[in-house]
Amino acid sequence: MAAISPWFSSPQSVSSRYIKSFTNSRRCSSIPVAISALDSSSEEQHRISSRDHVGIKRREAMLQIASSVFFLPLAVSPAFAETNASETFRVYTDEANKFEISIPQDWQVGQAEPNGFKSITAFYPQETSTSNVSIAITGLGPDFTRMESFGKVEAFAETLVSGLDRSWQKPAGVTAKLIDSRSSKGFYYIEYTLQNPGEARKHLYAAIGMATNGWYNRLYTVTGQFTDEESAEQSSKIQKTVKSFRFI
């Protein structure tokens, strides 16, 4: 994925040095085939009963959750309100999508054209860095009313991460390892790592929750990522940002 995706847009460009750094960091995997971990055979997909239909919708949602980690805006957007939360963090509020999140004071904000998602917003440092936090929103069918519709958090996390792993290929691809998973207050929290051969290991911390806008359910995937090379302070900022996400 060396080419920069053309569907990011905004009034003000970030530095090309940062863009190069981020596009290189995206190569942990092509858009993950997490869907394959849930598929048994292509023939079964053609025998669509109501149960099969729910399974396919679940696989589609899982694929979007997994792929959301690879999106980050290449430009800054001043679209929504920001208010002070503390000396080091500020609150970013999205009234349209009904959420708020605390981000580091000096981080930039960007948005992307959805391209299959309802909305993608991301936050990242001004300096060159592989650290960032992104929020991807996608629509869900009526079969999904709460996170447990995807199964228990342990099975959900195992399926998601195992679907990203390509260490068994020859030559070996990305290695994905699940670190931790838990459920709290309607959110699934998942911590895992991704590493391409010969590259720095990436740590990912995700919070996944569900809400309705009054017409249909939507899945919110908040993903923070940083590498082994990043400072402990940066990793702490990432986790604090992800944990601060809440619906309004």
Side-chain angles (χ1 to χ4, degrees):
M1 300 180 69
I4 298 174
S5 175
W7 42 268
F8 292 105
S9 61
S10 134
Q12 184 180 357
S13 296
V14 297
S15 70
S16 59
R17 191 162 62 95
Y18 176 79
I19 293 172
K20 182 178 180 181
S21 171
F22 179 74
T23 51
N24 286 340
S25 77
R26 291 170 65 187
R27 293 187 297 106
C28 275
S29 170
S30 58
I31 290 183
V33 199
I35 195 172
S36 64
L38 298 170
D39 285 334
S40 55
S41 72
S42 59
E43 292 181 0
E44 290 180 351
Q45 293 184 31
H46 293 290
R47 298 196 299 267
I48 301 179
S49 64
S50 60
R51 179 177 299 177
D52 294 330
H53 179 72
V54 171
I56 290 171
K57 289 298 183 182
R58 183 179 292 112
R59 290 191 290 269
E60 290 174 353
M62 290 288 286
L63 176 58
Q64 289 189 309
I65 292 169
S67 63
S68 66
V69 67
F70 301 103
F71 300 117
L72 181 74
L74 304 182
V76 177
S77 171
F80 299 108
E82 297 162 0
T83 58
N84 289 335
S86 69
E87 291 183 359
T88 56
F89 280 76
R90 57 192 169 97
V91 176
Y92 175 93
T93 303
D94 185 333
E95 294 287 354
N97 289 306
K98 303 299 181 184
F99 72 80
E100 68 179 28
I101 187 170
S102 295
I103 63 174
Q105 284 279 8
D106 58 347
W107 277 26
Q108 301 190 63
V109 181
Q111 289 186 290
E113 296 174 14
N115 195 33
F117 293 86
K118 298 293 182 183
S119 171
I120 301 174
T121 307
F123 314 93
Y124 48 95
Q126 295 181 22
E127 70 275 9
T128 299
S129 173
T130 57
S131 296
N132 61 80
V133 174
S134 62
I135 301 174
I137 304 173
T138 186
L140 290 173
D143 301 310
F144 300 93
T145 57
R146 56 194 184 120
M147 286 305 299
E148 287 75 11
S149 300
F150 289 99
K152 293 184 177 180
V153 63
E154 296 84 2
F156 176 89
E158 186 64 41
T159 299
L160 177 65
V161 176
S162 63
L164 293 168
D165 186 71
R166 292 294 177 271
S167 60
W168 47 267
Q169 291 181 335
K170 295 186 181 299
V174 63
T175 298
K177 292 185 178 180
L178 177 63
I179 305 300
D180 190 28
S181 64
R182 63 185 177 88
S183 176
S184 177
K185 298 179 179 179
F187 284 87
Y188 280 4
Y189 293 92
I190 302 172
E191 184 178 358
Y192 58 104
T193 62
L194 295 174
Q195 185 173 21
N196 268 321
E199 297 185 5
R201 183 174 56 178
K202 296 181 73 68
H203 293 260
L204 298 101
Y205 187 76
I208 306 167
M210 196 180 299
T212 180
N213 65 354
W215 292 278
Y216 52 85
N217 294 326
R218 302 202 291 182
L219 191 71
Y220 292 70
T221 304
V222 186
T223 307
Q225 56 181 316
F226 56 93
T227 69
D228 283 342
E229 300 168 350
E230 304 280 356
S231 67
E233 179 184 5
Q234 193 74 295
S235 65
S236 177
K237 285 182 180 179
I238 294 289
Q239 293 199 36
K240 182 175 180 179
T241 298
V242 172
K243 289 178 181 178
S244 74
F245 178 88
R246 73 180 189 91
F247 299 120
I248 58 175

